[in-house]
Structures are given as C-alpha cells and as structure tokens.
Amino acid sequence: MKSFFKENLVLVAGVALPLLLTIIFFVATNIGKTTIALPKHELIFVAEEAYNSPYQIIVRNKRLHLTYTKPNKDNNYRKGNTPSLYVYDPITAESSEIELPAIGLQDGDTDVIIPALASKTVSSLKESPDGYQFSYVSRGGGNLMTEVFGGGYSSRSGQVLHKGPQRIDVPHADHYRASFVGWVIKNQGGADE
Amino acid sequence: MSNKTQALEQIAALAKDNDIALDEIGAYLTKDSLDDKSGSWLTQLLGYLGAAFIFGGLGLFIAMVWGDLSSPSRVIITYGPGLVAFVLGILVLKDERYQKASTPLFLKSAVLLPTGMFVMLKEYASGDDAQLAAMVVFGILAFQFLITFISLKRTSLLFFGYLFWNSCLGILMERVGVPGDLIGIGLSVSILAAAWSIDRTSHRAIAPFYYFLGSVGLLWTIFDIVEGFPPLDLLYLPLTIFMMTISTRIRSRTLLLVSTFALLGFLGYYTEEYFADITGWPIALIVMGFLLIGISTYAIKLGRKIKQS
C-alpha cells in the first residue's frame, strides 16, 4: 500500500484534492449552520406564480385573501387557474396544499378570506420575525465543470428558505416560479409563533 | 515469462537498435491492418448499421409503449438490458474470439444502467431531490465500474468508472457548498492529474480525453474568474503559456492544442476589451496577427518536439 502511494503520488494527490475541498467546506458550512437556529414560523407560498392571472393571493389586515378580477379589456383579459397555495411547516419539513374557495368564472370581482387559514395571523414582511427569508438565491460561479459534473445551474440557484449560510429547500416550491406570500406569526387562540 | 512478454522485449530491443520511434511502429502496423481488412469494411459497416438500427428500434418501441407499462416493467425494460450488457461484457472476456465485443457492451451498459436507475428512483422513491438521486446513481455506478476495472483491467471500464466518479464527486462538492469556481479548479486539476497517471499505463488510450476535459475545465474556470478584472486578467497569458510548456513536459498534444486555443482566445478578448474603441485597433489587429503567426509556429515546433520525444 505504501509503495502504491509512493509510485502514484500524482494520482493520489489528484483524487485527494477534491475530496479535501469537500471535507473542508462540509465542516465549515455545518459549523456555520449550527450557530443559526432553524426557522420557527410557517411559510405560506404559491408553488408556481402565474403571469397575469385573474386570481391573486394577498395579505390584508394580517389575514390571507383570495381575490378574483373578472377578465376585461382593462386588464388584458387576464386568464389562468386558481394558484396552488402551500403552507410549509419547518417543524415537520413538509408542505401541505391549502384548499381555496371555489370562485366561478361567472362571478364578478371577488375578495374572500381563505377559510382554511382564517384563524392565522399572517405577516407579509419579506423577513420572518426570526430573520428568515424565502427568496431567490444564487451561489453563482457556474462553469464547465459545474455544468457537466455538478448538476447544472439549477442546483446552485432557486427559491429557498435562507438565513446566512443556512439554506432550506422547501418541498413543492418551484425552483424559479415559487412566490412568497407571508409568514404565519400567530394562530388564533394560540400563542405567538 | 510468457511468449507475449518475450515478443515485446524483442520488439523493444529491435526498435532501440534501429532507432525506430513508437509512432513509426504504430503507423506500420495500422497500414498492415488496413491492408488486411480492406475487403471487409463493408461487412463491418453493415454490422454497425444493423446494430444501430436494432438499438434505435428498441428505443423507439419502448418510447411508444412507455405509457402502457407498469412501474416494474419500466424498470426491467431499462435497467435489465443494461445489467445484461454489463454481465455479457464481463463474460465475453473469457473467450478471446469475442473480447472485442466487451467495449460496446460496456458502453451500452454505461448508458442503460443509469437510465434504469433513474427510472427506478422516479417510480419508487419519494421526494423531488433530483440532484441527490443523480449523486446516488453515479456513486453506485462509479463503484461498480471501478471495482470491475480493478479485477479485469479493461480500459473501457476505467473510462466510464472515472466519468461516473467525477459526476458523483462534482454533485457532492456542490451539495456541501463548495463555490463553483473552486469546484471547477479542483475537479479540473484532479482530472489532469488522473489523466497524467493514466497516460503512464497501458490504458493511455483514454488519457487524451481526460487531458482535454481537465484542461478545458481549468482554463474555462480561470478565465471566468479573471475576466473583466484588470490587471488580474493579464495573468491568464502566463497561465496559458505555462500550460503549453507543461504539455511538452508531459508530451500531450491534446493539452498543447487546448492551451494554444486558450491563448489565441485570450489575445482576442484582451484586444477587444482594451483596444477596440481606440484608433490603434487596426494596429493592434496587425500586431495580433504577427503574434498569432509566432504562436502557431511555436506550437508547431512544440508539437514536433512532442512527436520526436
């Protein structure tokens, strides 16, 4: 074994170099992550934001509303299906889809509180009370090697829950088209989250 | 000592006594080989065409009935032929008459095995982490091909095994948060080192491919880093010259070709970046022309030097 290492020093060094980099960054990243507490607040997001949709999910008076604007000439005859709304629970690390009230196309302009989340107090601030954000993050630095061997551009960029070096992938959130809605900061009758 | 070893020793002694270069022996053997096979090229061509038609037909048939297949059928129809090809590739090595068939069989298995494994993960695994799936698949395949290579010493197994190893390692580096530039430099240097080591073995046939991959990766990554940062970008010039020098030391024409193109590309970038909007542009072009001629002459000389050595 010793003679193998001696005779193949270049090969051993070549194989060891990327492994060494991996170990160094694994340790460094995890040390950084341990100093940051995991998120506490539930995240509300739309899985894939549709362009020019007549349906909008907005936060008003700390409640979550679904609005529908009837397509007309003024809004370029908006069209699209009801969005897929999800709530991500950081404790279970799962996203569950929220059922939205049915609004018929024959209905006029509509604005209703989403019943499934009516008991929740929601904040639409970009940053959660514990300092997390759900936004597009790109680590950059793409090159031939990362494209061929590193899983491509999509692995270094996308919509994630992040704070400092802590990055959490959110299930069901589209890499590029997921959009932030708000944070659940209080459940009615319950304590602040 | 076997007859083959004795024969090789005799050839080496004769070549040394008569000052015959390795390339000359190769050219002579190739000429003889072509003379021998001149009558059978049509048979070979038809054989390759037939194999391509069968493979293509099977692929199209699978694509047509894919929607009607159950999950186990989808896995069996993709992973199954890959595994069979891999086992057959090993079995044919036992019979000297069919040894040549091992490389296309390993090639087929290198395409079908990962396909089958991805299909298996898609059908049965939960979650949507495609990157993790790719890392697991390439890791298993790297292990499978490299372990078999250690036992059978077939170049094709080393080629695919090392390719899968880099795919797995690249994703692992990506997942632990190694910056893209460092992945580029680390993997490229690693591949160049491996290519250099392979070049000194009987598996040297695959070394040019890895020299190409490693050098393009390294020069590309470093150019991305220094591009648009004067005077840092000027350091790219000595780097390419250094790579050209290295190519002569390790006697790699592939490395020489890549580094020469990198140097030419850099000169183009530098001229356009800093001299394009001034009246000296035509003069710069003329100077660059002379530089190109000078570099190409130098590259040809280096190439000859490599050939002679």
Side-chain angles (χ1 to χ4, degrees), chain A residues 27-140:
Chain A
V27 172
T29 312
N30 280 287
I31 286 173
K33 279 180 184 173
T34 50
T35 58
I36 296 169
L38 290 168
K40 291 176 188 160
H41 298 272
E42 287 179 319
L43 163 74
I44 304 167
F45 66 94
V46 173
E48 285 183 45
E49 190 177 32
Y51 172 73
N52 202 27
S53 169
Y55 298 95
Q56 297 290 322
I57 290 170
I58 55 166
V59 179
R60 192 185 304 126
N61 299 327
K62 298 193 184 300
R63 291 284 178 271
L64 210 57
H65 291 247
L66 172 68
T67 67
Y68 172 75
T69 312
K70 199 167 184 185
N72 57 45
K73 197 180 174 183
D74 293 336
N75 58 31
N76 288 328
Y77 297 101
R78 288 180 173 183
K79 55 183 176 183
N81 298 322
T82 45
S84 299
L85 184 70
Y86 283 86
V87 173
Y88 170 72
D89 183 352
I91 310 295
T92 59
E94 283 176 5
S95 301
S96 41
E97 191 169 3
I98 302 300
E99 191 177 353
L100 297 175
I103 299 174
L105 292 177
Q106 71 283 0
D107 295 337
D109 291 356
T110 311
D111 185 335
V112 288
I113 291 178
I114 297 169
L117 297 173
S119 63
K120 305 211 186 249
T121 306
V122 179
S123 161
S124 61
L125 291 175
K126 288 285 174 202
E127 193 170 295
S128 71
D130 53 355
Y132 274 89
Q133 286 191 27
F134 179 69
S135 56
Y136 188 82
V137 171
S138 172
R139 284 202 279 130

Side-chain angles (χ1 to χ4, degrees), chain B residues 271 275 280-292:
Chain B
T271 315
F275 301 108
W281 171 238
I283 299 166
L285 273 181
I286 294 165
V287 172
M288 194 180 151
F290 278 115
L291 272 172
L292 296 184

Side-chain angles (χ1 to χ4, degrees), chain B residues 100-121:
Chain B
K100 279 186 179 172
S102 71
T103 301
L105 283 166
F106 286 135
L107 168 68
K108 191 181 163 191
S109 69
V111 174
L112 288 174
L113 284 176
T115 310
M117 287 165 89
F118 281 122
V119 170
M120 193 189 298
L121 287 170

Side-chain angles (χ1 to χ4, degrees), chain A residues 141-144, chain B residues 181 184-185 188 215-230 232-237 239-240 261-274:
Chain A
N143 51 59
L144 180 75
Chain B
D181 293 335
I185 294 172
S188 304
S215 55
V216 171
L218 184 66
L219 288 165
W220 189 315
T221 308
I222 292 178
F223 184 73
D224 271 351
I225 297 169
V226 300
E227 187 187 5
F229 290 104
L232 201 66
D233 53 0
L234 200 58
L235 290 175
Y236 197 76
L237 186 70
L239 173 75
T240 50
F261 272 110
L263 180 58
L264 297 180
F266 173 75
L267 288 176
Y269 151 80
Y270 205 77
T271 315
E272 196 182 312
E273 191 79 8
Y274 301 107

Side-chain angles (χ1 to χ4, degrees), chain B residues 244 248 256 260-261 263-264 267 288-306:
Chain B
M244 286 172 82
T248 60
L256 177 65
T260 306
F261 272 110
L263 180 58
L264 297 180
L267 288 176
M288 194 180 151
F290 278 115
L291 272 172
L292 296 184
I293 293 165
I295 289 161
S296 61
T297 314
Y298 181 58
I300 289 166
K301 275 183 187 171
L302 287 180
R304 279 187 190 147
K305 210 170 162 185
I306 292 169

